[in-house]
Amino acid sequence: HVQLVESGGGSVQVGGSLRLTCTFSGKTYSYGLAWFRQAPGKEREGVAAITTGGSTYYSASLRGRFTVSRDNAKNTMYLQMNKLKDEDTSMYYCAARYGGCNFRTSDYNYWGQGTQVTVS
């Protein structure tokens, strides 16, 4: 069974940076990992994803500002967010699925509880 816990959210000024951390337990070495976010009244959307081999994928609108990475030895995935905008304000979730990555929420079997990011 895979468990995911996000941390690192908080309040930041426009233009600032945050690094989110997703700590996972269980045998996730064969799992693709992803970050999603959901703002109030909006659908959950994919932000970034990383495969077991380290290939990365980004939402087209976020590429260049966000960087996803993972450290399997530490059972950790990160999301470095730079040049934050107020529209980045959301609850951020990490998710895991067996196999490759995509941005379809229905394909992900395991989810964390989320960490709030507020940009103002």
Side-chain angles (χ1 to χ4, degrees):
H1 184 67
V2 176
Q3 291 183 312
L4 306 166
V5 179
E6 304 93 338
S7 61
S11 297
V12 63
Q13 292 184 335
V14 171
S17 298
L18 277 177
R19 189 176 78 158
L20 304 184
T21 299
C22 174
T23 303
F24 46 86
S25 61
K27 297 180 179 179
T28 55
Y29 47 82
S30 297
Y31 282 69
L33 301 172
W35 289 98
F36 290 80
R37 68 183 185 184
Q38 187 169 20
K42 294 187 177 181
E43 292 188 355
R44 194 167 295 190
E45 62 174 350
V47 173
I50 185 165
T51 67
T52 55
S55 296
T56 56
Y57 303 89
Y58 296 93
S59 168
S61 64
L62 299 173
R63 188 178 288 115
R65 294 194 298 122
F66 289 13
T67 303
V68 62
S69 59
R70 68 190 286 175
D71 185 338
N72 290 329
K74 296 182 178 180
N75 279 10
T76 304
M77 174 177 64
Y78 304 98
L79 183 67
Q80 178 66 42
M81 305 186 295
N82 298 327
K83 300 179 181 178
L84 285 162
K85 304 176 181 180
D86 51 9
E87 55 260 42
D88 294 320
T89 295
S90 281
M91 184 72 78
Y92 284 73
Y93 300 89
C94 63
R97 69 181 296 266
Y98 186 77
C101 294
N102 59 47
F103 287 148
R104 290 190 295 270
T105 57
S106 58
D107 284 356
Y108 284 79
N109 309 99
Y110 304 100
W111 292 84
Q113 294 299 307
T115 186
Q116 178 68 37
V117 172
T118 302
V119 185
S120 60

